[in-house]
Amino acid sequence: MRLGISALLFNLDKALELCREVDRINHIEVGIDNLDECIKLSKYKGEFDKLNLSLGIHLPMELNSCENIKYIRKSWIDFINKIEDGLKDLNIEYFNMHLGYVISERLYKNRIKYLDNSVSFFEELLKVSNKRLSIENTYSKNGDFSNIGYICDDFEYIFNKIKSQNLCFCYDTGHNLINNSDYISNLNDRLEIIHLSDNNGIDDSHLGIGRGILHENEIKKLLSVNAKYLILEINHNHIKETIDILDKIKKGV
């Protein structure tokens, strides 16, 4: 399991400095929001190579795979393909994204309709290239709009429809603390990425381990699964402390 950290372009230099200090970090997941950011990120290729870092991309939060307007849904597919093309000089291991969002009243009336929109979205997206795509659990506070993908059933439905192994699951511990569902037991065969963070069960504050309510038993379970990437999606100031805690948990201290 590769140990990674998350970053955005504005703090990527700080993240790479941390990778130099902590040689156990061998993966980085970078958030990209706009096409012009591909050019900026590609300029870091030499640094990624020098530090032997594998690279994942977190796609924009605004992406909506369950969008009901076909034209807009297609535009998101085109956008992702352009992101992939813009980063072709980098060895991108995967592109990670959330499923999206729906007007709450419509979602409650016909959840399957929007899940089928997502299935169509991913089928079309996976046709274009051999890209690896991961879909991440989220949370929803049920306002006028609701996120989709805050219960395990959503992902089981999609994975039952899409057999391609190029679609995998990203489990986010912080999101699960807010909307709990049994992802590990039910999606273990598609789980490849873990986003590890802590919080108070209300706000997705990306705290270091031990600063919130994430239980040690949950961490032990995660360390035993066959995921490819464990990404510390936390404040960079908490990284070293969290790695020390993970080491103690592994040793049973």
Side-chain angles (χ1 to χ4, degrees):
M1 190 186 294
R2 295 182 75 85
L3 180 64
I5 60 173
S6 61
L8 297 171
L9 273 176
F10 84 90
N11 66 354
L12 184 53
D13 287 315
K14 180 182 177 184
L16 291 172
E17 184 60 39
L18 187 58
C19 294
R20 294 184 193 97
E21 293 175 18
V22 184
D23 58 9
R24 287 169 57 189
I25 299 172
N26 53 17
H27 180 77
I28 192 163
E29 185 176 288
V30 181
I32 288 287
D33 286 336
N34 295 289
L35 293 175
D36 62 345
E37 293 177 344
C38 295
I39 298 171
K40 298 173 185 176
L41 184 60
S42 294
K43 292 178 180 178
Y44 284 88
K45 183 181 186 325
E47 288 297 315
F48 297 143
D49 291 344
K50 190 185 303 180
L51 292 167
N52 195 30
L53 292 171
S54 54
L55 181 63
I57 297 297
H58 198 307
L59 293 166
M61 306 289 281
E62 292 82 1
L63 281 172
N64 192 5
S65 72
C66 50
E67 170 63 57
N68 198 46
I69 301 172
K70 293 179 182 179
Y71 179 87
I72 297 176
R73 197 164 71 233
K74 176 66 164 57
S75 73
W76 282 127
I77 292 171
D78 293 340
F79 174 83
I80 295 172
N81 288 329
K82 287 178 181 177
I83 288 281
E84 181 187 25
D85 185 64
L87 298 174
K88 62 188 176 184
D89 292 335
L90 299 175
N91 183 27
I92 307 299
E93 301 272 325
Y94 60 82
F95 295 87
N96 182 57
M97 63 176 286
H98 297 178
L99 292 180
Y101 41 90
V102 182
I103 294 173
S104 296
E105 184 180 356
R106 295 180 183 179
L107 178 62
Y108 302 149
K109 286 181 178 178
N110 197 350
R111 194 178 198 94
I112 294 300
K113 171 184 176 180
Y114 294 100
L115 288 171
D116 283 335
N117 287 348
S118 290
V119 169
S120 296
F121 178 94
F122 293 120
E123 285 177 339
E124 184 66 27
L125 188 57
L126 292 168
K127 277 182 189 176
V128 178
S129 72
N130 201 37
K131 71 169 71 65
R132 196 152 190 77
L133 198 68
S134 68
I135 48 180
E136 177 183 346
N137 65 296
T138 185
Y139 63 92
S140 192
K141 297 191 176 181
N142 302 317
D144 292 338
F145 283 80
S146 291
N147 287 325
I148 198 165
Y150 62 85
I151 54 174
C152 186
D153 292 354
D154 291 346
F155 296 94
E156 288 189 286
Y157 185 89
I158 291 170
F159 286 128
N160 283 334
K161 295 278 187 177
I162 300 179
K163 302 303 182 183
S164 170
Q165 292 303 304
N166 278 334
L167 185 68
C168 63
F169 180 58
C170 171
Y171 174 58
D172 188 295
T173 63
H175 296 167
N176 194 57
L177 287 173
I178 299 171
N179 277 146
N180 183 266
S181 194
D182 193 8
Y183 298 104
I184 302 300
S185 298
N186 295 310
L187 298 174
N188 188 52
D189 60 330
R190 302 296 282 262
L191 173 61
E192 293 196 2
I193 303 163
I194 297 168
H195 283 177
L196 187 65
S197 71
D198 210 340
N199 63 51
N200 60 5
I202 300 171
D203 301 308
D204 187 26
S205 44
H206 296 276
L207 302 176
I209 301 308
R211 293 173 177 263
I213 63 171
L214 186 63
H215 199 278
E216 184 175 313
N217 288 339
E218 169 80 354
I219 300 170
K220 287 180 179 177
K221 187 192 301 184
L222 292 174
L223 294 175
S224 69
V225 302
N226 192 32
K228 293 183 178 179
Y229 309 93
L230 176 64
I231 298 163
L232 307 182
E233 199 180 45
I234 61 178
N235 186 308
H236 289 166
N237 294 327
H238 301 169
I239 294 290
K240 294 177 184 178
E241 173 188 274
T242 290
I243 291 175
D244 288 342
I245 292 172
L246 292 176
D247 286 342
K248 288 178 181 178
I249 291 174
K250 284 180 185 178
K251 295 174 182 176
V253 176

